[in-house]
Amino acid sequence: EFPVPFSKTVKSQWEKIKRRREREEAARKKFLEEALENHEDNEEVKALKQFLVLRFGAKHRFERVPSLVAAWDIMDADGNGRLDMGEWGAALRDAGFHGNTVKLFKDIDLDGEGTIGLNEFDMEAYRFWEEREEGRRAAREQKAKEVEKMMAFRASMDVSTRGEIKREIKNGEQFKEFL
């Protein structure tokens, strides 16, 4: 939604830009999915994924998707969600992989940006990772709301504003107001 009132012309231009970005994102996603299907047939990529499942999958009972996500989390040293050639090579060497990391990187880097995202590596694992991250975001937001409520409750009890709680809580009624 447009943040402040503007003329119809500006709103119209904003909507066009927004629709163009949505189309571009949809086209990029479609391209990646089609390219991903092509590299799913790549035997070297399959072997790498199998290696990663075996190497990082014990905690996940060697289930393919959670194991690949666990491997990705470890490989993504800086936590930005993407691996550059240096991160990729170092992570695979550290994991004990002895294949051609440069060729694999180029095969997997579908958009040619010089970095690999989990969505380029394995779309199913990427969807699993996205759901997990959404759950984590929701939990952080819920915790922040609870802390905010507790702080408001504490502030309401601090009648002296010196950081001391002097009021009595009777049957928890005052506390219930904040929940």
Side-chain angles (χ1 to χ4, degrees):
E1 191 58 35
F2 213 70
V4 292
F6 276 92
S7 70
K8 288 183 180 181
T9 306
V10 173
K11 274 188 175 180
S12 172
Q13 290 173 343
W14 176 259
E15 291 300 320
K16 284 180 186 177
I17 291 169
K18 189 175 165 184
R19 284 192 302 273
R20 187 183 78 230
R21 286 181 181 162
E22 288 170 354
R23 283 193 309 272
E24 288 171 354
E25 183 58 31
R28 183 180 176 343
K29 190 173 183 178
K30 183 178 178 186
F31 166 77
L32 286 175
E33 286 177 356
E34 289 172 359
L36 191 60
E37 286 177 19
N38 293 336
H39 92 57
E40 288 293 329
D41 295 333
N42 183 324
E43 291 301 319
E44 293 166 333
V45 173
K46 282 183 185 177
L48 172 63
K49 289 180 183 181
Q50 185 63 32
F51 168 81
L52 292 173
V53 168
L54 292 173
R55 176 71 175 84
F56 298 101
K59 182 178 176 182
H60 304 285
R61 298 185 185 136
F62 300 101
E63 291 180 38
R64 183 182 169 283
V65 171
S67 299
L68 289 176
V69 171
W72 189 265
D73 288 341
I74 292 168
M75 292 167 58
D76 184 16
D78 61 8
N80 70 352
R82 304 201 56 82
L83 302 177
D84 60 26
M85 180 73 81
E87 253 182 319
W88 173 258
L92 291 179
R93 277 192 305 279
D94 290 349
F97 184 75
H98 300 292
N100 186 342
T101 59
V102 174
K103 182 183 181 314
L104 281 168
F105 185 91
K106 289 178 180 175
D107 288 348
I108 295 169
D109 183 17
L110 302 175
D111 58 12
E113 290 181 347
T115 60
I116 297 173
L118 186 55
N119 60 337
E120 292 173 284
F121 183 60
D122 191 282
M123 189 57 79
E124 191 177 358
Y126 176 71
R127 288 184 188 115
F128 180 89
W129 179 86
E130 264 190 331
E131 287 175 21
R132 183 192 70 182
E133 291 303 306
E134 183 56 38
R136 287 179 174 176
R137 275 190 294 278
R140 281 192 303 270
E141 288 172 9
Q142 181 63 33
K143 186 173 182 174
K145 287 177 184 176
E146 289 172 6
V147 167
E148 194 175 302
K149 286 179 182 179
M150 291 299 295
M151 296 300 287
F153 175 70
R154 181 167 174 38
S156 77
M157 299 301 293
D158 184 10
V159 291
S160 68
T161 66
R162 286 182 270 169
E164 301 170 354
I165 296 178
K166 297 275 184 178
R167 285 187 178 166
E168 285 185 35
I169 300 175
K170 296 187 179 171
N171 299 325
E173 290 305 316
Q174 291 168 321
F175 183 69
K176 287 179 185 176
E177 292 173 25
F178 290 93
L179 298 178

